[in-house]
Amino acid sequence: PIAYMLLAIFVLVFSLICSSCSTSPPQSRDIQRPRYHFFGGNFTNDPHGPLLHQGLYHLFHQWNPVSPFEGPKSWGHAVSRDLVHWTYLPAALHPSMAYDNQSIMSGSAVSLPMYGPVLLYTGHNDNQPPNDQTQNIAYPQNPSDPYLTSWTKYTKNPIISTPFSNITMCNGS
């Protein structure tokens, strides 16, 4: 009985402390949302990375900058020193080229020893399937910027296109 009472007091105190430490942006004060859950605002999905660069953790994610609903996506970008408190930065990538003019989809952020930070992402374009997705690369305009605020799409994108007409599937087709 005393153990249950102490546990109840601990849970109550812990929940009060955590609710006062929320790092979520003001628009996400939803009681259903975990308190230490990254949320980029509007439609946020599919985190990419994280990437550690010059003492800052970078998190990239699918993001619809104009609506809280599914739609054309960019890559949102935030940085943190402790993975709890986040600073929102301008989007890293927006649909802008023929190969990604509908959305910037899933991908990853990596740091290559010889080249530094690189974003690998799927571009969605307005062609009909199976020609509507490509694999692409972007790199920072200024790799010495710890915030990596400006990205350039590789001039030879897409690095992989579809369809793969020269690939034989396992079932022989």
Side-chain angles (χ1 to χ4, degrees), residues 93-124:
L93 298 172
H94 289 287
S96 63
M97 306 301 283
Y99 53 81
D100 67 10
N101 64 6
Q102 294 296 310
S103 279
I104 306 295
M105 305 295 279
S106 292
S108 190
V110 297
S111 186
L112 300 175
M114 300 279 294
Y115 302 101
V118 176
L119 301 181
L120 303 119
Y121 70 94
T122 300
H124 182 86

PDB file of all heavy atoms in Angstrom, residues 93-124:
ATOM      1  N   LEU A  93      15.412  21.300 -48.407  1.00  0.00           N
ATOM      2  CA  LEU A  93      15.124  21.007 -49.812  1.00  0.00           C
ATOM      3  C   LEU A  93      13.654  21.270 -50.121  1.00  0.00           C
ATOM      4  O   LEU A  93      12.789  20.946 -49.310  1.00  0.00           O
ATOM      5  CB  LEU A  93      15.423  19.534 -50.134  1.00  0.00           C
ATOM      6  CG  LEU A  93      16.859  19.046 -49.966  1.00  0.00           C
ATOM      7  CD1 LEU A  93      16.919  17.536 -50.135  1.00  0.00           C
ATOM      8  CD2 LEU A  93      17.770  19.737 -50.966  1.00  0.00           C
ATOM      9  N   HIS A  94      13.411  21.835 -51.280  1.00  0.00           N
ATOM     10  CA  HIS A  94      12.053  22.047 -51.800  1.00  0.00           C
ATOM     11  C   HIS A  94      11.966  21.414 -53.187  1.00  0.00           C
ATOM     12  O   HIS A  94      12.975  21.343 -53.897  1.00  0.00           O
ATOM     13  CB  HIS A  94      11.739  23.542 -51.960  1.00  0.00           C
ATOM     14  CG  HIS A  94      11.568  24.267 -50.678  1.00  0.00           C
ATOM     15  ND1 HIS A  94      10.465  24.121 -49.881  1.00  0.00           N
ATOM     16  CD2 HIS A  94      12.362  25.178 -50.055  1.00  0.00           C
ATOM     17  CE1 HIS A  94      10.584  24.907 -48.819  1.00  0.00           C
ATOM     18  NE2 HIS A  94      11.730  25.547 -48.901  1.00  0.00           N
ATOM     19  N   PRO A  95      10.768  20.986 -53.621  1.00  0.00           N
ATOM     20  CA  PRO A  95      10.612  20.533 -55.002  1.00  0.00           C
ATOM     21  C   PRO A  95      10.940  21.691 -55.954  1.00  0.00           C
ATOM     22  O   PRO A  95      10.383  22.778 -55.808  1.00  0.00           O
ATOM     23  CB  PRO A  95       9.136  20.160 -55.104  1.00  0.00           C
ATOM     24  CG  PRO A  95       8.654  20.014 -53.708  1.00  0.00           C
ATOM     25  CD  PRO A  95       9.518  20.904 -52.874  1.00  0.00           C
ATOM     26  N   SER A  96      11.866  21.478 -56.876  1.00  0.00           N
ATOM     27  CA  SER A  96      12.253  22.594 -57.749  1.00  0.00           C
ATOM     28  C   SER A  96      12.760  22.164 -59.117  1.00  0.00           C
ATOM     29  O   SER A  96      12.891  22.998 -60.002  1.00  0.00           O
ATOM     30  CB  SER A  96      13.333  23.444 -57.068  1.00  0.00           C
ATOM     31  OG  SER A  96      14.503  22.680 -56.867  1.00  0.00           O
ATOM     32  N   MET A  97      13.060  20.889 -59.285  1.00  0.00           N
ATOM     33  CA  MET A  97      13.633  20.412 -60.544  1.00  0.00           C
ATOM     34  C   MET A  97      12.651  19.448 -61.209  1.00  0.00           C
ATOM     35  O   MET A  97      11.750  18.934 -60.554  1.00  0.00           O
ATOM     36  CB  MET A  97      14.967  19.711 -60.283  1.00  0.00           C
ATOM     37  CG  MET A  97      15.973  20.537 -59.492  1.00  0.00           C
ATOM     38  SD  MET A  97      16.417  22.095 -60.269  1.00  0.00           S
ATOM     39  CE  MET A  97      17.537  21.516 -61.509  1.00  0.00           C
ATOM     40  N   ALA A  98      12.841  19.172 -62.474  1.00  0.00           N
ATOM     41  CA  ALA A  98      11.943  18.262 -63.195  1.00  0.00           C
ATOM     42  C   ALA A  98      11.882  16.890 -62.517  1.00  0.00           C
ATOM     43  O   ALA A  98      10.830  16.262 -62.478  1.00  0.00           O
ATOM     44  CB  ALA A  98      12.386  18.120 -64.646  1.00  0.00           C
ATOM     45  N   TYR A  99      12.995  16.437 -61.953  1.00  0.00           N
ATOM     46  CA  TYR A  99      13.039  15.108 -61.335  1.00  0.00           C
ATOM     47  C   TYR A  99      12.429  15.055 -59.940  1.00  0.00           C
ATOM     48  O   TYR A  99      12.225  13.986 -59.389  1.00  0.00           O
ATOM     49  CB  TYR A  99      14.465  14.556 -61.315  1.00  0.00           C
ATOM     50  CG  TYR A  99      15.488  15.480 -60.681  1.00  0.00           C
ATOM     51  CD1 TYR A  99      15.632  15.556 -59.308  1.00  0.00           C
ATOM     52  CD2 TYR A  99      16.314  16.274 -61.475  1.00  0.00           C
ATOM     53  CE1 TYR A  99      16.559  16.396 -58.733  1.00  0.00           C
ATOM     54  CE2 TYR A  99      17.259  17.113 -60.911  1.00  0.00           C
ATOM     55  CZ  TYR A  99      17.376  17.175 -59.538  1.00  0.00           C
ATOM     56  OH  TYR A  99      18.299  18.015 -58.969  1.00  0.00           O
ATOM     57  N   ASP A 100      12.135  16.213 -59.307  1.00  0.00           N
ATOM     58  CA  ASP A 100      11.526  16.222 -57.966  1.00  0.00           C
ATOM     59  C   ASP A 100      10.447  17.297 -57.831  1.00  0.00           C
ATOM     60  O   ASP A 100      10.184  17.801 -56.750  1.00  0.00           O
ATOM     61  CB  ASP A 100      12.595  16.385 -56.886  1.00  0.00           C
ATOM     62  CG  ASP A 100      13.302  17.735 -56.890  1.00  0.00           C
ATOM     63  OD1 ASP A 100      12.869  18.662 -57.601  1.00  0.00           O
ATOM     64  OD2 ASP A 100      14.297  17.867 -56.163  1.00  0.00           O
ATOM     65  N   ASN A 101       9.782  17.627 -58.927  1.00  0.00           N
ATOM     66  CA  ASN A 101       8.876  18.783 -58.921  1.00  0.00           C
ATOM     67  C   ASN A 101       7.576  18.570 -58.154  1.00  0.00           C
ATOM     68  O   ASN A 101       6.833  19.531 -57.944  1.00  0.00           O
ATOM     69  CB  ASN A 101       8.591  19.253 -60.344  1.00  0.00           C
ATOM     70  CG  ASN A 101       7.851  18.230 -61.178  1.00  0.00           C
ATOM     71  OD1 ASN A 101       7.432  17.186 -60.683  1.00  0.00           O
ATOM     72  ND2 ASN A 101       7.717  18.524 -62.460  1.00  0.00           N
ATOM     73  N   GLN A 102       7.287  17.370 -57.698  1.00  0.00           N
ATOM     74  CA  GLN A 102       6.070  17.140 -56.904  1.00  0.00           C
ATOM     75  C   GLN A 102       6.359  17.070 -55.409  1.00  0.00           C
ATOM     76  O   GLN A 102       5.600  17.603 -54.616  1.00  0.00           O
ATOM     77  CB  GLN A 102       5.384  15.848 -57.352  1.00  0.00           C
ATOM     78  CG  GLN A 102       4.853  15.918 -58.757  1.00  0.00           C
ATOM     79  CD  GLN A 102       3.765  16.960 -58.895  1.00  0.00           C
ATOM     80  OE1 GLN A 102       2.828  16.985 -58.118  1.00  0.00           O
ATOM     81  NE2 GLN A 102       3.904  17.828 -59.875  1.00  0.00           N
ATOM     82  N   SER A 103       7.428  16.400 -55.020  1.00  0.00           N
ATOM     83  CA  SER A 103       7.736  16.225 -53.594  1.00  0.00           C
ATOM     84  C   SER A 103       9.172  15.771 -53.405  1.00  0.00           C
ATOM     85  O   SER A 103       9.754  15.132 -54.275  1.00  0.00           O
ATOM     86  CB  SER A 103       6.830  15.165 -52.951  1.00  0.00           C
ATOM     87  OG  SER A 103       5.581  15.685 -52.615  1.00  0.00           O
ATOM     88  N   ILE A 104       9.690  16.098 -52.233  1.00  0.00           N
ATOM     89  CA  ILE A 104      10.955  15.551 -51.753  1.00  0.00           C
ATOM     90  C   ILE A 104      10.548  14.464 -50.759  1.00  0.00           C
ATOM     91  O   ILE A 104       9.992  14.761 -49.707  1.00  0.00           O
ATOM     92  CB  ILE A 104      11.823  16.624 -51.061  1.00  0.00           C
ATOM     93  CG1 ILE A 104      12.029  17.837 -51.954  1.00  0.00           C
ATOM     94  CG2 ILE A 104      13.136  16.010 -50.589  1.00  0.00           C
ATOM     95  CD1 ILE A 104      12.818  17.586 -53.208  1.00  0.00           C
ATOM     96  N   MET A 105      10.804  13.219 -51.105  1.00  0.00           N
ATOM     97  CA  MET A 105      10.312  12.089 -50.307  1.00  0.00           C
ATOM     98  C   MET A 105      11.405  11.576 -49.360  1.00  0.00           C
ATOM     99  O   MET A 105      12.276  12.321 -48.971  1.00  0.00           O
ATOM    100  CB  MET A 105       9.819  10.987 -51.251  1.00  0.00           C
ATOM    101  CG  MET A 105       8.765  11.458 -52.242  1.00  0.00           C
ATOM    102  SD  MET A 105       7.238  11.972 -51.486  1.00  0.00           S
ATOM    103  CE  MET A 105       6.483  10.394 -51.239  1.00  0.00           C
ATOM    104  N   SER A 106      11.350  10.291 -49.031  1.00  0.00           N
ATOM    105  CA  SER A 106      12.263   9.676 -48.060  1.00  0.00           C
ATOM    106  C   SER A 106      13.709   9.736 -48.507  1.00  0.00           C
ATOM    107  O   SER A 106      14.009   9.878 -49.683  1.00  0.00           O
ATOM    108  CB  SER A 106      11.875   8.218 -47.832  1.00  0.00           C
ATOM    109  OG  SER A 106      10.654   8.146 -47.183  1.00  0.00           O
ATOM    110  N   GLY A 107      14.594   9.574 -47.535  1.00  0.00           N
ATOM    111  CA  GLY A 107      16.008   9.580 -47.825  1.00  0.00           C
ATOM    112  C   GLY A 107      16.824   9.460 -46.564  1.00  0.00           C
ATOM    113  O   GLY A 107      16.342   8.951 -45.553  1.00  0.00           O
ATOM    114  N   SER A 108      18.024   9.974 -46.607  1.00  0.00           N
ATOM    115  CA  SER A 108      18.912   9.886 -45.464  1.00  0.00           C
ATOM    116  C   SER A 108      19.921  11.023 -45.502  1.00  0.00           C
ATOM    117  O   SER A 108      20.159  11.622 -46.550  1.00  0.00           O
ATOM    118  CB  SER A 108      19.643   8.541 -45.479  1.00  0.00           C
ATOM    119  OG  SER A 108      20.332   8.362 -44.266  1.00  0.00           O
ATOM    120  N   ALA A 109      20.496  11.300 -44.357  1.00  0.00           N
ATOM    121  CA  ALA A 109      21.583  12.270 -44.246  1.00  0.00           C
ATOM    122  C   ALA A 109      22.802  11.508 -43.750  1.00  0.00           C
ATOM    123  O   ALA A 109      22.713  10.745 -42.792  1.00  0.00           O
ATOM    124  CB  ALA A 109      21.204  13.375 -43.259  1.00  0.00           C
ATOM    125  N   VAL A 110      23.923  11.689 -44.424  1.00  0.00           N
ATOM    126  CA  VAL A 110      25.153  10.994 -44.042  1.00  0.00           C
ATOM    127  C   VAL A 110      26.310  11.984 -44.090  1.00  0.00           C
ATOM    128  O   VAL A 110      26.228  13.023 -44.749  1.00  0.00           O
ATOM    129  CB  VAL A 110      25.458   9.793 -44.965  1.00  0.00           C
ATOM    130  CG1 VAL A 110      24.376   8.739 -44.867  1.00  0.00           C
ATOM    131  CG2 VAL A 110      25.639  10.230 -46.399  1.00  0.00           C
ATOM    132  N   SER A 111      27.367  11.636 -43.391  1.00  0.00           N
ATOM    133  CA  SER A 111      28.589  12.430 -43.465  1.00  0.00           C
ATOM    134  C   SER A 111      29.680  11.528 -44.023  1.00  0.00           C
ATOM    135  O   SER A 111      30.063  10.539 -43.384  1.00  0.00           O
ATOM    136  CB  SER A 111      28.977  12.958 -42.088  1.00  0.00           C
ATOM    137  OG  SER A 111      30.068  13.835 -42.202  1.00  0.00           O
ATOM    138  N   LEU A 112      30.137  11.851 -45.219  1.00  0.00           N
ATOM    139  CA  LEU A 112      31.157  11.041 -45.881  1.00  0.00           C
ATOM    140  C   LEU A 112      32.542  11.591 -45.543  1.00  0.00           C
ATOM    141  O   LEU A 112      32.755  12.808 -45.598  1.00  0.00           O
ATOM    142  CB  LEU A 112      30.930  11.064 -47.388  1.00  0.00           C
ATOM    143  CG  LEU A 112      29.574  10.525 -47.842  1.00  0.00           C
ATOM    144  CD1 LEU A 112      29.402  10.713 -49.345  1.00  0.00           C
ATOM    145  CD2 LEU A 112      29.430   9.069 -47.465  1.00  0.00           C
ATOM    146  N   PRO A 113      33.491  10.723 -45.183  1.00  0.00           N
ATOM    147  CA  PRO A 113      34.807  11.184 -44.748  1.00  0.00           C
ATOM    148  C   PRO A 113      35.495  12.143 -45.718  1.00  0.00           C
ATOM    149  O   PRO A 113      36.089  13.117 -45.297  1.00  0.00           O
ATOM    150  CB  PRO A 113      35.606   9.889 -44.597  1.00  0.00           C
ATOM    151  CG  PRO A 113      34.594   8.831 -44.377  1.00  0.00           C
ATOM    152  CD  PRO A 113      33.374   9.266 -45.140  1.00  0.00           C
ATOM    153  N   MET A 114      35.392  11.901 -47.012  1.00  0.00           N
ATOM    154  CA  MET A 114      36.089  12.745 -47.988  1.00  0.00           C
ATOM    155  C   MET A 114      35.275  13.967 -48.419  1.00  0.00           C
ATOM    156  O   MET A 114      35.824  14.911 -48.962  1.00  0.00           O
ATOM    157  CB  MET A 114      36.442  11.921 -49.230  1.00  0.00           C
ATOM    158  CG  MET A 114      37.333  10.733 -48.961  1.00  0.00           C
ATOM    159  SD  MET A 114      39.061  11.137 -48.837  1.00  0.00           S
ATOM    160  CE  MET A 114      39.434  11.658 -50.484  1.00  0.00           C
ATOM    161  N   TYR A 115      33.957  13.930 -48.194  1.00  0.00           N
ATOM    162  CA  TYR A 115      33.094  14.969 -48.762  1.00  0.00           C
ATOM    163  C   TYR A 115      32.277  15.740 -47.736  1.00  0.00           C
ATOM    164  O   TYR A 115      31.742  16.795 -48.036  1.00  0.00           O
ATOM    165  CB  TYR A 115      32.145  14.353 -49.796  1.00  0.00           C
ATOM    166  CG  TYR A 115      32.878  13.665 -50.906  1.00  0.00           C
ATOM    167  CD1 TYR A 115      33.026  12.286 -50.923  1.00  0.00           C
ATOM    168  CD2 TYR A 115      33.464  14.400 -51.934  1.00  0.00           C
ATOM    169  CE1 TYR A 115      33.716  11.651 -51.938  1.00  0.00           C
ATOM    170  CE2 TYR A 115      34.163  13.775 -52.953  1.00  0.00           C
ATOM    171  CZ  TYR A 115      34.282  12.402 -52.945  1.00  0.00           C
ATOM    172  OH  TYR A 115      34.973  11.782 -53.945  1.00  0.00           O
ATOM    173  N   GLY A 116      32.097  15.212 -46.547  1.00  0.00           N
ATOM    174  CA  GLY A 116      31.286  15.869 -45.536  1.00  0.00           C
ATOM    175  C   GLY A 116      29.817  15.494 -45.667  1.00  0.00           C
ATOM    176  O   GLY A 116      29.481  14.440 -46.213  1.00  0.00           O
ATOM    177  N   PRO A 117      28.912  16.360 -45.189  1.00  0.00           N
ATOM    178  CA  PRO A 117      27.489  16.036 -45.176  1.00  0.00           C
ATOM    179  C   PRO A 117      26.902  15.913 -46.591  1.00  0.00           C
ATOM    180  O   PRO A 117      27.236  16.693 -47.481  1.00  0.00           O
ATOM    181  CB  PRO A 117      26.850  17.221 -44.457  1.00  0.00           C
ATOM    182  CG  PRO A 117      27.962  17.937 -43.791  1.00  0.00           C
ATOM    183  CD  PRO A 117      29.192  17.649 -44.570  1.00  0.00           C
ATOM    184  N   VAL A 118      26.027  14.936 -46.747  1.00  0.00           N
ATOM    185  CA  VAL A 118      25.337  14.705 -48.024  1.00  0.00           C
ATOM    186  C   VAL A 118      23.909  14.271 -47.708  1.00  0.00           C
ATOM    187  O   VAL A 118      23.685  13.492 -46.779  1.00  0.00           O
ATOM    188  CB  VAL A 118      26.042  13.610 -48.857  1.00  0.00           C
ATOM    189  CG1 VAL A 118      25.274  13.307 -50.131  1.00  0.00           C
ATOM    190  CG2 VAL A 118      27.469  14.010 -49.184  1.00  0.00           C
ATOM    191  N   LEU A 119      22.965  14.788 -48.460  1.00  0.00           N
ATOM    192  CA  LEU A 119      21.571  14.338 -48.365  1.00  0.00           C
ATOM    193  C   LEU A 119      21.276  13.448 -49.559  1.00  0.00           C
ATOM    194  O   LEU A 119      21.582  13.819 -50.695  1.00  0.00           O
ATOM    195  CB  LEU A 119      20.605  15.529 -48.363  1.00  0.00           C
ATOM    196  CG  LEU A 119      20.788  16.556 -47.255  1.00  0.00           C
ATOM    197  CD1 LEU A 119      19.749  17.663 -47.385  1.00  0.00           C
ATOM    198  CD2 LEU A 119      20.718  15.896 -45.890  1.00  0.00           C
ATOM    199  N   LEU A 120      20.723  12.282 -49.307  1.00  0.00           N
ATOM    200  CA  LEU A 120      20.274  11.370 -50.361  1.00  0.00           C
ATOM    201  C   LEU A 120      18.761  11.316 -50.239  1.00  0.00           C
ATOM    202  O   LEU A 120      18.245  11.045 -49.153  1.00  0.00           O
ATOM    203  CB  LEU A 120      20.878   9.987 -50.157  1.00  0.00           C
ATOM    204  CG  LEU A 120      22.403   9.992 -50.112  1.00  0.00           C
ATOM    205  CD1 LEU A 120      22.877   9.489 -48.777  1.00  0.00           C
ATOM    206  CD2 LEU A 120      22.955   9.178 -51.228  1.00  0.00           C
ATOM    207  N   TYR A 121      18.038  11.556 -51.329  1.00  0.00           N
ATOM    208  CA  TYR A 121      16.584  11.622 -51.215  1.00  0.00           C
ATOM    209  C   TYR A 121      15.893  11.124 -52.479  1.00  0.00           C
ATOM    210  O   TYR A 121      16.477  11.088 -53.561  1.00  0.00           O
ATOM    211  CB  TYR A 121      16.142  13.049 -50.910  1.00  0.00           C
ATOM    212  CG  TYR A 121      16.308  14.021 -52.047  1.00  0.00           C
ATOM    213  CD1 TYR A 121      15.247  14.283 -52.920  1.00  0.00           C
ATOM    214  CD2 TYR A 121      17.515  14.671 -52.261  1.00  0.00           C
ATOM    215  CE1 TYR A 121      15.405  15.171 -53.981  1.00  0.00           C
ATOM    216  CE2 TYR A 121      17.675  15.555 -53.307  1.00  0.00           C
ATOM    217  CZ  TYR A 121      16.615  15.806 -54.166  1.00  0.00           C
ATOM    218  OH  TYR A 121      16.763  16.674 -55.211  1.00  0.00           O
ATOM    219  N   THR A 122      14.646  10.725 -52.308  1.00  0.00           N
ATOM    220  CA  THR A 122      13.802  10.321 -53.418  1.00  0.00           C
ATOM    221  C   THR A 122      13.025  11.536 -53.894  1.00  0.00           C
ATOM    222  O   THR A 122      12.337  12.184 -53.102  1.00  0.00           O
ATOM    223  CB  THR A 122      12.821   9.212 -52.988  1.00  0.00           C
ATOM    224  OG1 THR A 122      13.580   8.096 -52.536  1.00  0.00           O
ATOM    225  CG2 THR A 122      11.915   8.795 -54.133  1.00  0.00           C
ATOM    226  N   GLY A 123      13.163  11.848 -55.164  1.00  0.00           N
ATOM    227  CA  GLY A 123      12.375  12.913 -55.766  1.00  0.00           C
ATOM    228  C   GLY A 123      11.146  12.323 -56.431  1.00  0.00           C
ATOM    229  O   GLY A 123      11.224  11.284 -57.085  1.00  0.00           O
ATOM    230  N   HIS A 124      10.009  12.953 -56.229  1.00  0.00           N
ATOM    231  CA  HIS A 124       8.764  12.519 -56.869  1.00  0.00           C
ATOM    232  C   HIS A 124       8.414  13.563 -57.922  1.00  0.00           C
ATOM    233  O   HIS A 124       8.373  14.753 -57.631  1.00  0.00           O
ATOM    234  CB  HIS A 124       7.655  12.404 -55.829  1.00  0.00           C
ATOM    235  CG  HIS A 124       6.365  11.926 -56.386  1.00  0.00           C
ATOM    236  ND1 HIS A 124       6.065  10.592 -56.529  1.00  0.00           N
ATOM    237  CD2 HIS A 124       5.296  12.608 -56.836  1.00  0.00           C
ATOM    238  CE1 HIS A 124       4.856  10.480 -57.046  1.00  0.00           C
ATOM    239  NE2 HIS A 124       4.371  11.681 -57.245  1.00  0.00           N
TER     240      HIS A 124
END
